[in-house]
Amino acid sequence: MKPEGRQASPAFVFLGERTSVDRIVECVPNFSEGRNAATVQALVAAVAAVPGVRLLDHTMDPDHHRSVLTFAGEPMAVEAAAFHAITVATTRIDLRQHAGVHPRIGATDVVPFVPLRGVTMEECVQSARRVGQRIGTELGIPVFLYEQAATQPVRTRLEAIRRGGLSGLAARMESDPVWRPDFGPSSVHPTAGAVVTGARPPLIAFNVNLASHDVAIARAIAKTVRESNGGLPCVKAIGVALASRSLVQVAMNLTDYRVTSMETAFRAVQAEADKAGVRIAGSELIGLVPQTALGPATVQTVRLERFDPMQVLETRLAATAG
């Protein structure tokens, strides 16, 4: 899952001290395509074609009907790669043909910039603004700034922008001046919808799968554990059905893993699953995870499936440094 919430602006710095010649920003765009491998590969190729950008990871999920790319590099190169991929998504993804369990309002749904080394949060805000302006001007898609880049308090949280889906956003754009986009036209694009871009700290997409077909159970657990309903701080959660795996899932975003860890989130879900008489089938990470988020026994404690040490952000960055 990839919804995100507003947090403070701590200095997340990886791989040593900041220097003026080693500036790394991460970009983690989410696209509304998880079933057409050719389209996802075209997105990957668009990023990989930009000099100075390291493609760190990509995933695609047919149930969520969503793909997530992770890449990093010097800010201007990352901005170019992000815009290149968004352009490809705009030509290849038609939201009128899209159906998946994950909330979304765009072919390119959300494009966060994350400071990793030698780059401030404010510089990532400026990256989001520059890319957003290009999307609005050159692609004719309305763009909303969120998180640290938000220009309206009501649009800080991604879920607020997504409320009611694309049709809900379109209605607000038409009737409420507060919902005029930051860039681009005042109505949604017919096939690409809208794009959200901004700046945020590192986020962990952590999902817990339940051995059940009852999505109501997953939704009830998600409602209990998420911050917005009085649950764990810095946790967002939704319950979804995974038809291809005959499971249901509590899909979570840990927006500050130093406040609520994967272990804490897992134990909370497990406690609610036990009350419902449902067995935990395992858990999964989507994308990469900072090394400091993994304790000595985290993988075993949260029952991560198919965990690869290369999912550690610092390890992947070092492996792609050449």
Side-chain angles (χ1 to χ4, degrees):
M1 174 185 170
K2 282 284 179 183
E4 293 121 346
R6 184 177 178 84
Q7 300 297 322
S9 303
F12 286 88
V13 183
F14 300 108
L15 302 178
E17 297 298 323
R18 297 183 180 199
T19 71
S20 60
V21 296
D22 195 358
R23 292 162 43 80
I24 301 177
V25 62
E26 179 187 45
C27 187
V28 194
N30 290 218
F31 300 97
S32 296
E33 178 55 72
R35 299 169 187 169
N36 187 322
T39 293
V40 175
Q41 186 53 47
L43 296 170
V44 168
V47 169
V50 178
V53 171
R54 312 180 202 176
L55 179 67
L56 303 179
D57 187 64
H58 70 280
T59 65
M60 60 182 291
D61 186 300
D63 295 305
H64 287 249
H65 204 352
R66 196 169 185 82
S67 60
V68 180
L69 274 60
T70 304
F71 50 93
E74 189 274 332
M76 296 305 290
V78 168
E79 291 174 28
F83 183 76
H84 196 183
I86 294 163
T87 301
V88 171
T90 302
T91 63
R92 296 185 66 109
I93 299 173
D94 186 343
L95 284 187
R96 296 173 299 182
Q97 311 300 321
H98 186 277
V101 299
H102 200 290
R104 85 289 180 273
I105 50 89
T108 301
D109 188 51
V110 58
V111 187
F113 292 87
V114 182
L116 292 188
R117 180 167 63 177
V119 178
T120 67
M121 186 67 75
E122 179 55 32
E123 287 176 291
C124 285
V125 168
Q126 295 307 313
S127 289
R129 292 185 65 85
R130 284 190 291 267
V131 172
Q133 187 169 36
R134 287 194 70 186
I135 295 167
T137 301
E138 299 180 35
L139 302 180
I141 303 171
V143 177
F144 294 86
L145 295 170
Y146 85 123
E147 266 279 0
Q148 305 291 331
T151 56
Q152 299 277 357
V154 71
R155 301 195 321 220
T156 297
R157 298 173 68 89
L158 182 56
E159 58 266 38
I161 302 174
R162 286 200 188 122
R163 179 169 53 86
L166 182 57
S167 60
L169 176 62
R172 292 193 298 279
M173 290 171 65
E174 184 176 342
S175 62
D176 188 346
V178 171
W179 285 95
R180 292 196 183 104
D182 291 288
F183 305 105
S186 57
S187 58
V188 300
H189 190 281
T191 61
V195 176
V196 183
T197 186
R200 61 160 173 78
L203 172 153
I204 299 175
F206 175 56
N207 303 332
V208 179
N209 298 326
L210 309 178
S212 172
H213 295 90
D214 190 349
V215 72
I217 293 175
R219 288 172 178 164
I221 293 174
K223 184 176 180 180
T224 299
V225 303
R226 66 188 174 219
E227 181 178 26
S228 63
N229 287 98
L232 297 170
C234 302
V235 172
K236 299 185 179 188
I238 59 174
V240 298
L242 304 181
S244 69
R245 291 187 263 178
S246 298
L247 298 168
V248 296
Q249 180 181 85
V250 180
M252 293 179 284
N253 279 172
L254 310 184
T255 59
D256 191 335
Y257 61 86
R258 302 166 308 169
V259 175
T260 296
S261 66
M262 286 191 289
E263 291 95 328
T264 299
F266 180 84
R267 285 193 293 267
V269 172
Q270 187 170 45
E272 296 303 315
D274 289 345
K275 293 177 186 177
V278 174
R279 181 175 59 84
I280 300 289
S283 69
E284 63 186 24
L285 281 169
I286 305 301
L288 305 179
V289 58
Q291 178 67 63
T292 53
L294 293 173
T298 300
V299 173
Q300 292 74 28
T301 300
V302 305
R303 297 171 56 185
L304 276 178
E305 300 173 325
R306 300 180 299 277
F307 177 72
D308 184 339
M310 289 300 291
Q311 286 180 272
V312 176
L313 174 59
E314 291 87 342
T315 302
R316 186 65 63 87
L317 275 168
T320 60

